[in-house]
Structure formats: C-alpha cells, structure tokens
Amino acid sequence: MYQVIHFTDGSSDVSDKKEQDLIMMAALYLRRHPESRIAVSGYADKASAGESKNAELSKKRAVAVANTLIQRYSIASDRVQVKWFGAQKENGTLPTMNRLVLMETIE
C-alpha cells in the first residue's frame, strides 16, 4: 500500500477531505492486514524555507498524518513508523512534488 498526502506551502494541516480519505484508506488497509506496519515519511521543498524550518515542517506533516491514523482510526502506535527528511531528500524537481507525506506499508 502506498499513499501520497499533499500539503500546501508551509502547511501541516490534514483537514482536506481528499487527504483525509487517503488516510482513512491506509487505516482500513492496516485493519485488514494486522501484521502490517506503515512508514509515514514527511518532506518539504527547498524553495519555501531554510533547512531547520523545512526539517520542522516535514516533521509536523509526518506527525499530523501519524496522529490521525493513531487517534482517529485507532491504529496502534507501534505499527506506525514516523520519519521526516526536510528538504534533504527530494521526490521530484518541482516544489509541489516535495510538499508531502508518503505512507507505505512495511510488511
């Protein structure tokens, strides 16, 4: 299972309906596969801010998604691995390709 949660510039808010639906689908997958765990990895883009601010923003994004899985959908916290990379690790050349959280299962 692989999901991408997008964020607007400078935001860690996951209140958007589309993004909430993606988190819900990940939670449903985890409920159906109790042996699976999920990696939640936060990113930020170099164009928006400096290194320390991007590290903090990517952490906030990853934690927001993880907390939604844990608190709203009752996924055990030991099944959710949270990582963040700031702008050090990029997913694409456009800034919007790096304003995201990747959720992928760890089998």
Side-chain angles (χ1 to χ4, degrees):
M1 195 259 345
Y2 186 86
Q3 298 285 5
V4 180
I5 307 299
H6 292 277
F7 293 86
T8 58
D9 189 19
S11 174
S12 60
D13 182 39
V14 290
S15 62
D16 182 81
K17 170 95 169 90
K18 177 183 171 197
E19 307 310 330
Q20 283 292 327
D21 288 347
L22 292 172
I23 297 170
M24 181 183 67
M25 286 191 292
L28 291 172
Y29 178 90
L30 290 168
R31 286 184 182 162
R32 290 185 189 125
H33 299 89
E35 73 287 351
S36 292
R37 295 181 27 220
I38 192 165
V40 178
S41 304
Y43 297 85
D45 66 276
K46 290 180 182 176
S48 296
E51 189 175 322
S52 64
K53 190 166 184 170
N54 280 331
E56 183 62 27
L57 180 58
S58 65
K59 178 181 178 180
K60 285 181 179 179
R61 288 172 174 168
V63 168
V65 171
N67 283 344
T68 302
L69 286 167
I70 294 164
Q71 295 169 3
R72 182 175 292 166
Y73 298 106
S74 302
I75 302 300
S77 61
D78 64 347
R79 296 180 66 200
V80 181
Q81 179 186 55
V82 180
K83 304 183 282 187
W84 56 91
F85 300 101
Q88 295 176 337
K89 188 175 177 182
E90 293 190 310
N91 293 297
T93 55
L94 297 174
T96 55
M97 296 172 145
N98 296 295
R99 296 176 189 152
L100 52 85
V101 165
L102 297 178
M103 295 187 296
E104 51 191 324
T105 51
I106 306 167
E107 301 299 330

